[in-house]
Coordinates of all heavy atoms in Angstrom, one line a residue:
K191 N -73.9 -137.1 18.1 CA -73.6 -136.9 19.6 C -73.5 -138.3 20.3 O -73.3 -138.3 21.5 CB -74.8 -136.1 20.2 CG -74.9 -134.7 19.7 CD -73.7 -133.9 20.1 CE -73.8 -132.4 19.7 NZ -72.7 -131.6 20.1
G192 N -73.5 -139.4 19.6 CA -73.3 -140.7 20.1 C -74.5 -141.2 21.0 O -74.4 -142.1 21.8
L193 N -75.7 -140.6 20.7 CA -76.9 -141.1 21.4 C -77.5 -142.3 20.7 O -77.7 -142.3 19.5 CB -77.9 -139.9 21.4 CG -77.4 -138.6 22.0 CD1 -78.5 -137.6 22.0 CD2 -77.0 -138.8 23.5
K194 N -77.7 -143.3 21.5 CA -78.1 -144.6 20.9 C -79.6 -144.8 21.0 O -80.1 -144.9 22.1 CB -77.3 -145.8 21.6 CG -75.8 -145.7 21.5 CD -75.3 -145.7 20.1 CE -73.8 -145.7 20.0 NZ -73.3 -145.7 18.6
Y195 N -80.2 -144.9 19.9 CA -81.7 -145.2 19.9 C -81.9 -146.7 19.6 O -81.1 -147.4 19.1 CB -82.4 -144.3 18.8 CG -81.7 -144.3 17.4 CD1 -81.9 -145.3 16.5 CD2 -80.9 -143.2 17.1 CE1 -81.2 -145.3 15.3 CE2 -80.2 -143.2 15.9 CZ -80.4 -144.2 15.0 OH -79.8 -144.2 13.8
V196 N -83.1 -147.1 19.9 CA -83.5 -148.5 19.7 C -84.3 -148.7 18.4 O -84.3 -149.8 17.9 CB -84.3 -149.0 20.9 CG1 -83.5 -149.1 22.1 CG2 -85.6 -148.2 21.1
Q197 N -84.8 -147.6 17.9 CA -85.5 -147.7 16.6 C -85.6 -146.4 16.0 O -85.9 -145.4 16.7 CB -86.9 -148.3 16.8 CG -87.7 -148.5 15.5 CD -89.0 -149.3 15.7 OE1 -89.0 -150.3 16.2 NE2 -90.1 -148.7 15.2
A198 N -85.5 -146.3 14.6 CA -85.6 -145.0 13.9 C -86.3 -145.3 12.6 O -85.8 -146.2 11.8 CB -84.3 -144.3 13.8
S199 N -87.3 -144.6 12.2 CA -88.0 -144.9 11.0 C -88.9 -143.7 10.6 O -89.2 -142.9 11.5 CB -88.8 -146.2 11.0 OG -89.8 -146.0 12.0
V200 N -89.3 -143.7 9.4 CA -90.4 -142.8 9.0 C -91.7 -143.6 8.9 O -91.6 -144.6 8.2 CB -90.1 -142.1 7.6 CG1 -91.3 -141.3 7.1 CG2 -88.9 -141.2 7.7
S201 N -92.7 -143.2 9.6 CA -93.9 -144.1 9.7 C -95.1 -143.3 9.9 O -95.0 -142.1 9.9 CB -93.7 -145.1 10.8 OG -93.4 -144.5 12.0
M202 N -96.2 -144.0 10.1 CA -97.5 -143.3 10.3 C -97.8 -143.2 11.8 O -98.0 -144.2 12.5 CB -98.6 -144.0 9.6 CG -98.4 -144.2 8.1 SD -98.2 -142.6 7.2 CE -99.9 -141.9 7.3
V203 N -97.8 -142.0 12.3 CA -98.0 -141.7 13.7 C -99.4 -141.3 14.0 O -100.0 -140.4 13.4 CB -97.0 -140.7 14.2 CG1 -97.2 -140.4 15.7 CG2 -95.6 -141.2 14.0
P204 N -100.2 -141.9 15.0 CA -101.5 -141.6 15.2 C -101.7 -140.2 15.9 O -100.8 -139.8 16.7 CB -102.0 -142.7 16.1 CG -100.8 -143.2 16.8 CD -99.7 -143.1 15.8
Q205 N -102.7 -139.5 15.5 CA -103.0 -138.2 16.1 C -103.5 -138.3 17.6 O -103.3 -137.4 18.4 CB -104.0 -137.4 15.3 CG -103.5 -137.1 13.9 CD -104.6 -136.5 13.0 OE1 -105.7 -136.3 13.4 NE2 -104.3 -136.4 11.7
N206 N -104.2 -139.4 17.8 CA -104.8 -139.6 19.1 C -104.9 -141.1 19.4 O -104.7 -141.9 18.4 CB -106.1 -138.9 19.3 CG -107.1 -139.3 18.2 OD1 -107.4 -140.4 18.0 ND2 -107.6 -138.3 17.5
T207 N -105.2 -141.5 20.6 CA -105.2 -142.9 20.9 C -106.5 -143.4 21.6 O -107.2 -142.5 22.1 CB -104.0 -143.4 21.8 OG1 -104.1 -142.6 23.0 CG2 -102.7 -143.1 21.1
I208 N -106.8 -144.7 21.5 CA -107.9 -145.2 22.2 C -107.4 -146.2 23.2 O -106.7 -147.1 23.0 CB -108.8 -146.0 21.2 CG1 -109.5 -145.0 20.2 CG2 -109.9 -146.8 21.9 CD1 -110.3 -145.6 19.1
K209 N -107.8 -146.0 24.5 CA -107.5 -146.8 25.6 C -108.2 -148.2 25.6 O -109.5 -148.2 25.4 CB -107.7 -146.1 26.9 CG -107.3 -146.9 28.1 CD -105.8 -146.8 28.4 CE -105.4 -147.4 29.7 NZ -104.0 -147.2 29.9
L210 N -107.5 -149.3 25.6 CA -108.2 -150.6 25.6 C -107.9 -151.3 26.9 O -106.8 -151.3 27.5 CB -107.6 -151.5 24.5 CG -107.9 -151.0 23.0 CD1 -107.3 -152.0 22.1 CD2 -109.4 -150.9 22.8
E211 N -109.0 -151.9 27.5 CA -108.8 -152.7 28.7 C -108.4 -154.1 28.3 O -108.3 -154.4 27.1 CB -110.2 -152.7 29.5 CG -110.7 -151.3 29.9 CD -109.6 -150.5 30.7 OE1 -108.9 -151.2 31.5 OE2 -109.5 -149.4 30.5
E212 N -108.2 -154.9 29.3 CA -107.4 -156.2 29.1 C -108.0 -157.1 28.0 O -107.3 -157.6 27.1 CB -107.3 -157.0 30.4 CG -106.5 -158.3 30.2 CD -106.1 -158.9 31.5 OE1 -106.4 -158.3 32.6 OE2 -105.4 -159.9 31.5
G213 N -109.3 -157.3 28.0 CA -109.9 -158.2 27.0 C -109.7 -157.8 25.6 O -109.2 -158.5 24.7
R214 N -110.1 -156.5 25.3 CA -109.9 -156.0 24.0 C -108.5 -155.8 23.6 O -108.1 -155.9 22.5 CB -110.7 -154.7 23.8 CG -112.2 -155.0 23.7 CD -113.0 -153.7 23.5 NE -114.4 -153.9 23.1 CZ -115.3 -153.0 23.0 NH1 -115.0 -151.7 23.3 NH2 -116.6 -153.3 22.6
A215 N -107.7 -155.5 24.6 CA -106.3 -155.2 24.4 C -105.6 -156.5 23.9 O -104.8 -156.4 22.9 CB -105.6 -154.7 25.7
E216 N -105.8 -157.6 24.5 CA -105.2 -158.8 24.1 C -105.7 -159.2 22.7 O -104.9 -159.7 21.9 CB -105.5 -159.9 25.1 CG -104.8 -159.7 26.5 CD -104.9 -160.9 27.4 OE1 -105.5 -161.9 27.0 OE2 -104.5 -160.8 28.5
Q217 N -107.0 -159.0 22.4 CA -107.5 -159.3 21.1 C -106.9 -158.4 20.1 O -106.5 -158.9 19.0 CB -109.0 -159.0 21.2 CG -109.8 -159.6 20.0 CD -111.3 -159.4 20.2 OE1 -111.8 -158.5 20.9 NE2 -112.1 -160.2 19.5
M218 N -106.6 -157.2 20.4 CA -106.0 -156.2 19.5 C -104.6 -156.7 19.2 O -104.1 -156.7 18.1 CB -106.0 -154.8 20.1 CG -105.4 -153.7 19.2 SD -106.5 -153.2 17.9 CE -105.6 -153.6 16.5
L219 N -103.8 -157.0 20.2 CA -102.4 -157.4 20.1 C -102.3 -158.7 19.2 O -101.4 -158.8 18.4 CB -101.8 -157.6 21.4 CG -101.6 -156.3 22.3 CD1 -101.1 -156.7 23.7 CD2 -100.7 -155.3 21.6
K220 N -103.2 -159.6 19.4 CA -103.2 -160.8 18.6 C -103.5 -160.5 17.2 O -102.9 -161.1 16.3 CB -104.3 -161.8 19.2 CG -103.9 -162.5 20.5 CD -105.0 -163.4 21.0 CE -104.6 -164.0 22.4 NZ -105.7 -164.8 22.9
M221 N -104.4 -159.6 16.9 CA -104.8 -159.3 15.5 C -103.6 -158.7 14.8 O -103.2 -159.0 13.7 CB -105.9 -158.3 15.5 CG -106.4 -158.0 14.1 SD -107.8 -156.8 14.0 CE -106.9 -155.3 13.9
I222 N -102.9 -157.7 15.5 CA -101.7 -157.1 14.8 C -100.6 -158.1 14.7 O -99.8 -158.0 13.7 CB -101.3 -155.9 15.6 CG1 -102.4 -154.8 15.6 CG2 -100.1 -155.2 15.0 CD1 -102.1 -153.5 16.2
D223 N -100.4 -159.0 15.6 CA -99.4 -160.0 15.5 C -99.6 -160.9 14.3 O -98.7 -161.2 13.6 CB -99.4 -160.9 16.8 CG -98.2 -161.7 17.0 OD1 -97.1 -161.3 16.4 OD2 -98.2 -162.8 17.6
K224 N -100.9 -161.2 14.1 CA -101.2 -162.0 12.9 C -101.0 -161.2 11.6 O -100.5 -161.8 10.6 CB -102.6 -162.5 12.9 CG -102.9 -163.6 14.0 CD -102.1 -164.9 13.7 CE -102.4 -166.0 14.7 NZ -101.6 -167.2 14.4
L225 N -101.3 -160.0 11.6 CA -101.1 -159.1 10.4 C -99.6 -159.0 10.1 O -99.2 -159.2 9.0 CB -101.7 -157.7 10.6 CG -103.2 -157.6 10.6 CD1 -103.6 -156.2 11.1 CD2 -103.8 -157.8 9.2
E226 N -98.8 -158.8 11.2 CA -97.4 -158.7 11.0 C -96.7 -160.0 10.5 O -95.7 -159.9 9.8 CB -96.7 -158.3 12.4 CG -97.0 -156.9 12.9 CD -96.0 -155.9 12.2 OE1 -95.1 -156.3 11.5 OE2 -96.2 -154.7 12.5
D227 N -97.4 -161.1 10.8 CA -96.8 -162.4 10.4 C -97.1 -162.7 9.0 O -96.6 -163.7 8.4 CB -97.4 -163.5 11.4 CG -96.4 -164.7 11.4 OD1 -95.2 -164.5 11.5 OD2 -96.9 -165.8 11.4
N228 N -98.0 -162.0 8.3 CA -98.4 -162.3 7.0 C -97.3 -161.9 6.0 O -96.7 -160.8 6.2 CB -99.7 -161.5 6.6 CG -100.2 -161.8 5.2 OD1 -99.7 -161.3 4.2 ND2 -101.2 -162.6 5.1
D229 N -96.9 -162.7 5.1 CA -95.8 -162.5 4.2 C -95.9 -161.2 3.4 O -94.9 -160.7 2.9 CB -95.6 -163.7 3.3 CG -95.0 -164.9 4.0 OD1 -94.5 -164.7 5.1 OD2 -95.2 -166.0 3.5
D230 N -97.1 -160.8 3.1 CA -97.3 -159.6 2.2 C -97.3 -158.3 3.0 O -97.2 -157.2 2.4 CB -98.7 -159.8 1.4 CG -98.7 -160.9 0.4 OD1 -97.5 -161.3 0.0 OD2 -99.7 -161.5 0.2
V231 N -97.4 -158.4 4.3 CA -97.6 -157.2 5.1 C -96.2 -156.6 5.4 O -95.3 -157.3 5.8 CB -98.3 -157.5 6.4 CG1 -98.2 -156.2 7.3 CG2 -99.8 -157.8 6.1
Q232 N -96.0 -155.3 5.1 CA -94.8 -154.6 5.4 C -94.8 -153.9 6.7 O -93.9 -153.9 7.5 CB -94.5 -153.6 4.2 CG -94.1 -154.3 2.9 CD -92.8 -155.0 3.0 OE1 -92.8 -156.3 3.1 NE2 -91.7 -154.3 2.9
N233 N -95.9 -153.2 6.9 CA -96.0 -152.4 8.2 C -97.5 -152.3 8.7 O -98.4 -152.4 7.8 CB -95.6 -150.9 7.9 CG -94.1 -150.8 7.5 OD1 -93.3 -151.1 8.3 ND2 -93.9 -150.4 6.3
V234 N -97.6 -152.3 9.9 CA -98.9 -152.1 10.6 C -98.9 -151.0 11.6 O -98.0 -150.9 12.4 CB -99.4 -153.4 11.3 CG1 -100.8 -153.2 11.9 CG2 -99.4 -154.6 10.4
Y235 N -99.9 -150.1 11.5 CA -100.0 -149.0 12.4 C -101.4 -149.0 13.0 O -102.4 -149.2 12.4 CB -99.8 -147.6 11.6 CG -98.5 -147.6 10.9 CD1 -98.5 -147.7 9.5 CD2 -97.2 -147.5 11.5 CE1 -97.4 -147.6 8.7 CE2 -96.1 -147.5 10.7 CZ -96.1 -147.5 9.4 OH -95.0 -147.5 8.6
A236 N -101.5 -148.5 14.3 CA -102.7 -148.5 15.0 C -102.7 -147.5 16.1 O -101.6 -147.0 16.5 CB -103.0 -149.9 15.6

Side-chain angles (χ1 to χ4, degrees):
K191 293 295 184 179
L193 302 179
K194 303 297 183 183
Y195 46 80
V196 293
Q197 181 170 308
S199 63
V200 175
S201 55
M202 302 302 290
V203 177
Q205 298 170 5
N206 51 57
T207 58
I208 293 176
K209 182 79 171 182
L210 295 180
E211 300 306 323
E212 185 165 1
R214 284 181 169 172
E216 291 186 4
Q217 196 175 21
M218 182 77 241
L219 294 174
K220 288 177 181 178
M221 186 180 90
I222 298 187
D223 194 28
K224 288 297 183 183
L225 288 169
E226 289 278 356
D227 204 41
N228 184 281
D229 288 341
D230 294 330
V231 172
Q232 291 294 101
N233 297 293
V234 180
Y235 307 106

